[in-house]
Amino acid sequence: MWIKNSIMSFKKSDELKIQPPKKVAVGFPAIASVGFRIWEETYVGRGVKTMLKLNQVKGYDCPSCAWPDPDPSERSSIAEYCENGAKAVAWEASKETIGADFFSTYTINDLLTRSNYWLEKQGRLSTPMYLPEGAKNYEPISWEKAFELVAVQLNKLQDPNEAIFYTSGRASNEAAFCYQLFVRQFGTNNLPDCSNMCHEATGVALSETTGIGKASVKLDDIAKTDLLLIFGQNPGTNAPRMLTELQKLKQNGGKIIAVNPMPETGFMGFKHPQKPWEWIGDGTPLQDLYLQVKINGDLALVKAILVLLHRAQKLDASIFDATFIEKHAVGYNEFIDQLSHEDFEDLVIQSGVSKAEIEKATEYVINAKKIIIAWAMGITQHTNGEDTIREFVNLLLLKGSIAKSGAGTLPVRGHSNVQGDRTMGIWEKAPESFLANLDKAFSFKAPRDHGVTAVEAIEHLISKKSKVFIGLGGNFVHAAPDTEVVEKAMNDADFTMHIATKLNRSHIVHGKSALILPCLGRTEIDETSIGKQFITTEDTAGRVRMSMGDLSPVAPNLKSEVAIVCGLAATTLGNKSNVEWNRFSIDYNLIRSKIEEVIPGFDNFNEKVKRAGGFFLPNPARDGRFVNNTEKAKFSVTVPANKQIKKGRFVLMTMRSHDQFNTTIYGFDDRYRGISGDREVILMNKEDIKNNGFENQEKVNITSYFDGKERHLNGFKVVPYPITKGCVAVYFPEGNVLIALENKANESQCPASKFVEVSISKMN
Ligand SMILES: Nc1nc2c(c(=O)[nH]1)N[C@H]1C(S)=C(S)[C@@H](COP(=O)(O)OP(=O)(O)OC[C@H]3O[C@@H](n4cnc5c(=O)[nH]c(N)nc54)[C@H](O)[C@@H]3O)O[C@H]1N2
Ligand SMILES: Nc1nc2c(c(=O)[nH]1)N[C@H]1C(S)=C(S)[C@@H](COP(=O)(O)OP(=O)(O)OC[C@H]3O[C@@H](n4cnc5c(=O)[nH]c(N)nc54)[C@H](O)[C@@H]3O)O[C@H]1N2
Ligand SMILES: [Mo]
């Protein structure tokens, strides 16, 4: 069923309250907030017990973000977690469950009127549920029948490419490896994932320039750097444990430059959550320089810095690392040639930052011998994200700041195993080397035609090229851009199926028939007929570690993701597959042995991963080897972004609040920004509010423009905020209605979730 007003699903909790943004991150309020959440979700026992195992050597990997753990000797013995990690655990460890009774009480139409917040709040999914064509309610179904249903739906397709197999970044290495093997044996590379909407630009730009689409630094490099530039990231909320490393960096005398259209609390002051003596006072100030760019002004800003650097180098040749460039890089002359033709004044205007501040930033760069550049969604979710990242690499190469201690690239990943899923082959364009190894290890021929990205998946569903959507985790209809279009695409499908822990919007905006298969969470014990199993994940720094839950499963009829994927594969592929799916599903060591055969760097996987702290995957760029097509690090020549919008309009970004994990809304308190009680708000600069004749908290209508089409989001309250003039912000996923499917990067296909042209008008 198609509901026009899809925004209904984000209804606010209570009255909007606005306070000035906080000046210090973490400290006591964070601990208090965690305590409350554990109490609320789990009635203490389940939550507190499991919190002690979080990120411990013998514990489980935090299901929240992908920030690396310290080496075992440096870990806190009680708790290696942050406020938002704790919220993620409390959310998963919820004591409530929903099953047959719940689904017979609520029809699909009832559920469509509920917010996603409400849906997830009902508790953990506890038994497989089936929605037959035309039915009003989901009904219980056995695991066996559920697997058979999927097999029928898949096997009746004329072409395997008519099915789409999405993955969210929480799936373990073992589940992901089995899933991609199943999908490729079924006959397609249609393996889009959340990466396609996240760090895809990073993968594209870094693979080409440094030869590896991942960070080149390890956790302990951060404290050793002279200068850390952080672009488009809000670590205080989205990677809180990063602040601990930033504090160490400061204590060692390093400098931090934060580049962001709004000042984020995490950079201003920090109090360590596990050091109560730090809870009083103003905390450690982190940023030395804050550059308030225009949205997407980063490319111009870096170019402007590079121009000044080049000028300075003419007076002092030691500013560039000539030896490194000579030995390790290609493309220097073309790059310098372009730089000499740049119009500095124009770059300054495009960036939105003053000339004096650009000069100051350049001075920091000149004086630093070791530089790290970190970035996240404020850089990747643009049509030109790849080029901005190429400029980051240009800067690092000029300074010889890669492949040495305390220097390099630091794209900060999102989902806790999004990087591992890619390593395991969740990739619509997996390289030939991976596919060839897979062929060999399993004696079959994997398809070679590229599959669809997340955005292309929607296009294929709309054009009926695809008819089945299967999701291993995630909440695709709220994560993808253009909510109304995605919901229509899902409704058009013949069959939709999700493997999930909690009920969400993607389960009730369904195809003709639909299935929900409930799985164990990472906090829970996974015991098969041969004993307890563990899984593995990979963090941002490329470290692989084991993870083992310690809570009893919340319901008896749950299966692990691995068991579900193996069950689906065995039933769908039947004797067309020679994989021992049943043995895989009870003994994960067998899966890991196969991973070892297929993917470089996993030799002795089963043994190595049991060592305290796990092991690092090979990272040639870290060691000074650049394995791209030139065998050298590459300077790039980029095209200026300079995107124009119509006069009187604004550039809108979508961002996360402090109280959510992607589409999961934990609560309504964006504590650091001082905004609580309501998420239907638009953050706007005071002067813009005044110049447009709006009042504080007045309700306005937002209209977005792309390719001649308008999209609307009405009745959002104006909140004055120190954001760059001409820029506005709303929360993700509420704002997704405004993002045209076609508003995406050419190269990576990543939706431009941080650059939407809008006008804002009074509501009546
Ligand atoms: N608690 C919690 N943790 C999370 C998540 C979560 O939702 N909740 N999500 C996880 C995931 S999947 C991811 S990918 C990461 C996301 O982590 P972030 O990338 O930090 O997430 P966003 O809220 O999207 O924030 C982007 C930041 O970029 C800034 N920004 C926007 N546009 C621009 C621009 O054009 N230039 C610059 N320089 N800055 C800009 C915004 O002001 C904001 O500070 O976090 C992960 N961790
Ligand atoms: N406008 C806008 N859109 C964005 C973004 C943005 O910044 N702005 N960010 C993008 C980014 S960076 C990302 S990564 C995507 C995120 O996209 P997704 O990964 O698709 O979304 P999530 O909200 O993380 O998925 C939440 C759901 O995952 C399920 N889940 C949770 N834990 C588990 C588990 O252990 N196993 C299984 N099987 N299921 C589980 C639960 O049912 C939960 O409802 O969204 C993207 N969309
Ligand atoms: Mo992400």
Side-chain angles (χ1 to χ4, degrees):
M1 210 214 59
W2 164 234
I3 283 224
K4 171 116 185 59
N5 193 2
S6 54
I7 196 60
M8 296 247 297
S9 60
F10 306 106
K11 252 353 258 167
K12 64 196 165 204
S13 77
D14 104 58
E15 275 311 286
L16 173 63
K17 285 197 199 75
I18 305 174
Q19 293 174 318
K22 302 283 176 292
K23 293 224 157 52
V24 180
V26 199
F28 183 71
I31 301 293
S33 159
V34 166
F36 172 71
R37 199 72 61 186
I38 295 171
W39 170 78
E40 187 192 41
E41 289 278 357
T42 69
Y43 310 120
V44 187
R46 217 170 129 81
V48 170
K49 174 173 172 256
T50 199
M51 212 59 76
L52 301 175
K53 288 282 176 73
L54 183 50
N55 289 336
Q56 294 303 316
V57 172
K58 292 223 158 67
Y60 58 92
D61 185 41
C62 181
S64 191
C65 75
W67 189 251
D69 298 326
D71 284 330
S73 58
E74 310 236 322
R75 272 180 222 183
S76 153
S77 58
I78 321 175
E80 188 58 55
Y81 66 83
C82 71
E83 174 191 0
N84 280 339
K87 283 186 204 163
V89 169
W91 174 90
E92 183 178 294
S94 160
K95 228 176 70 171
E96 303 296 330
T97 57
I98 54 173
D101 285 353
F102 174 89
F103 286 100
S104 72
T105 308
Y106 295 100
T107 63
I108 293 289
N109 279 348
D110 288 336
L111 296 173
L112 281 168
T113 65
R114 306 285 176 162
S115 68
N116 201 74
Y117 172 72
W118 185 92
L119 294 175
E120 292 196 352
K121 200 89 185 143
Q122 302 315 301
R124 287 277 302 277
L125 293 158
S126 62
T127 198
M129 300 299 303
Y130 176 50
L131 185 73
E133 191 168 348
K136 292 197 165 75
N137 293 68
Y138 267 102
E139 45 197 61
I141 183 171
S142 70
W143 280 103
E144 242 179 12
K145 287 223 173 85
F147 290 159
E148 276 163 23
L149 261 166
V150 180
V152 168
Q153 290 289 348
L154 288 175
N155 287 329
K156 79 176 182 201
L157 296 175
Q158 306 217 310
D159 178 339
N161 292 316
E162 288 176 1
I164 286 160
F165 298 85
Y166 175 70
T167 310
S168 165
R170 209 173 267 184
S172 64
N173 287 337
E174 290 73 8
F177 184 79
C178 291
Y179 189 62
Q180 62 81 31
L181 175 63
F182 160 43
V183 171
R184 295 197 163 102
Q185 290 207 327
F186 175 66
T188 177
N189 279 313
N190 278 349
L191 283 159
D193 70 341
C194 66
S195 253
N196 296 148
M197 303 180 274
C198 184
H199 260 296
E200 199 64 65
T202 301
V204 169
L206 287 187
S207 313
E208 172 195 297
T209 53
T210 68
I212 181 163
K214 304 178 180 180
S216 76
V217 302
K218 287 187 183 171
L219 190 65
D220 59 4
D221 283 310
I222 298 172
K224 293 183 201 153
T225 193
D226 298 331
L227 176 65
L228 176 66
L229 292 131
I230 307 186
F231 286 83
Q233 194 202 349
N234 179 17
T237 287
N238 297 316
R241 289 190 302 144
M242 183 173 181
L243 301 187
T244 315
E245 302 311 309
L246 302 191
Q247 192 184 35
K248 287 187 206 156
L249 179 166
K250 292 298 297 188
Q251 283 159 355
N252 291 344
K255 303 272 186 248
I256 296 175
I257 303 181
V259 184
N260 202 305
M262 50 187 170
E264 297 284 24
T265 302
F267 295 123
M268 291 184 239
F270 172 61
K271 296 179 186 180
H272 202 298
Q274 288 150 24
K275 294 181 184 164
W277 59 93
E278 288 189 2
W279 293 356
I280 37 176
D282 294 334
T284 313
L286 294 180
Q287 69 197 8
D288 295 275
L289 185 63
Y290 165 53
L291 303 178
Q292 183 157 27
V293 271
K294 285 183 193 162
I295 289 179
N296 203 23
D298 309 82
L299 179 51
L301 171 66
V302 184
K303 269 185 192 275
I305 294 174
L306 290 170
V307 169
L308 293 187
L309 211 59
H310 185 216
R311 285 184 194 164
Q313 198 264 351
K314 287 181 186 152
L315 306 174
D316 174 2
S318 74
I319 289 175
F320 290 179
D321 187 337
T323 320
F324 174 89
I325 297 170
E326 174 79 19
K327 191 162 167 226
H328 290 293
V330 291
Y332 175 77
N333 292 337
E334 295 84 340
F335 161 70
I336 290 291
D337 187 49
Q338 188 204 27
L339 207 54
S340 333
H341 291 94
E342 292 288 356
D343 179 343
F344 179 70
E345 303 298 326
D346 188 44
L347 292 172
V348 173
I349 295 169
Q350 281 183 50
S351 73
V353 178
S354 74
K355 214 187 277 186
E357 284 170 317
I358 296 177
E359 282 162 0
K360 182 99 196 128
T362 310
E363 227 178 276
Y364 279 116
V365 173
I366 289 174
N367 292 329
K369 291 256 172 289
K370 295 174 285 182
I371 301 175
I372 293 178
I373 302 186
W375 67 93
M377 297 303 102
I379 294 304
T380 59
Q381 293 176 336
H382 285 294
T383 51
N384 52 277
E386 300 82 358
D387 269 352
T388 309
I389 297 162
R390 289 184 180 109
E391 292 293 353
F392 293 163
V393 174
N394 286 341
L395 191 155
L396 292 172
L397 296 183
L398 283 180
K399 296 287 294 177
S401 260
I402 191 160
K404 68 181 182 196
S405 159
T409 52
L410 179 56
V412 180
R413 297 281 159 179
H415 260 298
S416 56
N417 198 39
V418 64
Q419 191 160 310
D421 290 348
R422 262 297 156 88
T423 306
M424 292 299 120
I426 302 292
W427 196 353
E428 75 287 349
K429 303 180 185 64
E432 175 56 31
S433 55
F434 174 90
L435 297 173
N437 287 351
L438 197 67
D439 289 352
K440 214 159 116 212
F442 293 98
S443 318
F444 82 115
K445 180 86 183 157
R448 293 307 199 264
D449 290 346
H450 287 171
V452 293
T453 61
V455 166
E456 288 161 350
I458 302 162
E459 292 164 355
H460 277 225
L461 286 166
I462 291 169
S463 66
K464 311 265 190 229
K465 270 194 201 147
S466 297
K467 296 170 178 160
V468 169
F469 182 95
I470 288 181
L472 175 54
N475 183 1
F476 191 66
V477 302
H478 272 177
D482 229 343
T483 316
E484 295 195 358
V485 173
V486 191
E487 293 201 352
K488 168 95 173 56
M490 293 299 253
N491 286 153
D492 283 353
D494 284 346
F495 178 68
T496 50
M497 188 214 96
H498 291 88
I499 300 170
T501 49
K502 286 200 175 176
L503 184 63
N504 67 40
R505 181 92 182 164
S506 300
H507 310 151
I508 52 171
V509 178
H510 55 82
K512 286 196 188 80
S513 62
L515 255 184
I516 311 173
L517 302 181
C519 65
L520 292 173
R522 210 179 276 172
T523 50
E524 288 166 324
I525 297 166
D526 182 357
E527 189 158 14
T528 68
S529 55
I530 64 157
K532 279 190 192 165
Q533 301 299 307
F534 67 87
I535 52 108
T536 61
T537 59
E538 176 187 340
D539 67 26
T540 283
R543 193 207 293 255
V544 179
R545 49 152 294 169
M546 62 187 280
S547 171
M548 198 160 178
D550 75 327
L551 291 178
S552 308
V554 72
N557 202 22
L558 299 180
K559 279 188 192 289
S560 70
E561 286 181 344
V562 171
I564 297 174
V565 170
C566 290
L568 290 171
T571 323
T572 306
L573 303 173
N575 56 16
K576 276 186 271 169
S577 172
N578 55 3
V579 178
E580 294 179 296
W581 296 107
N582 292 338
R583 291 186 62 213
F584 274 12
S585 74
I586 55 169
D587 185 355
Y588 301 178
N589 280 339
L590 298 177
I591 305 173
R592 283 186 285 269
S593 297
K594 282 295 185 184
I595 292 175
E596 178 176 339
E597 250 181 270
V598 175
I599 308 168
F602 284 88
D603 27 297
N604 293 324
F605 189 9
N606 276 308
E607 185 221 320
K608 252 188 342 197
V609 80
K610 287 183 192 129
R611 287 181 214 152
F615 63 94
F616 283 95
L617 287 174
N619 190 314
R622 190 176 286 162
D623 309 328
R625 286 182 303 113
F626 303 99
V627 286
N628 52 16
N629 60 2
T630 53
E631 298 289 323
K632 291 218 167 164
K634 230 186 230 174
F635 280 100
S636 316
V637 170
T638 66
V639 189
N642 208 8
K643 291 172 75 173
Q644 304 293 339
I645 58 160
K646 242 191 181 162
K647 208 163 173 277
R649 291 187 184 164
F650 294 84
V651 179
L652 173 140
M653 62 149 116
T654 55
M655 52 158 191
R656 291 156 171 80
S657 97
H658 192 64
D659 221 2
Q660 73 184 83
F661 190 91
N662 298 340
T663 69
T664 292
I665 312 301
Y666 298 132
F668 295 80
D669 189 6
D670 195 2
R671 188 154 48 80
Y672 293 154
R673 296 198 185 106
I675 302 167
S676 63
D678 195 346
R679 290 175 50 91
E680 295 187 355
V681 292
I682 175 162
L683 281 58
M684 221 174 163
N685 184 288
K686 263 193 199 144
E687 282 184 46
D688 285 334
I689 296 180
K690 195 167 138 231
N691 295 341
N692 285 270
F694 301 136
E695 302 285 330
N696 183 359
Q697 301 196 35
E698 175 176 356
K699 282 193 180 172
V700 292
N701 293 342
I702 312 168
T703 307
S704 75
Y705 303 88
F706 195 87
D707 243 0
K709 265 204 214 132
E710 294 183 4
R711 288 168 175 77
H712 304 277
L713 198 50
N714 294 343
F716 270 44
K717 289 182 190 157
V718 171
V719 171
Y721 205 79
I723 186 172
T724 309
K725 269 199 287 178
C727 301
V728 291
V730 297
Y731 292 122
F732 147 57
E734 284 83 341
N736 292 33
V737 195
L738 294 171
I739 307 170
L741 198 59
E742 300 78 17
N743 184 9
K744 57 174 187 194
N746 279 337
E747 291 182 71
S748 68
Q749 303 268 319
C750 181
S753 308
K754 301 282 191 270
F755 197 105
V756 183
E757 179 173 351
V758 299
S759 68
I760 301 163
S761 59
K762 286 180 174 282
M763 207 174 145
N764 36 34

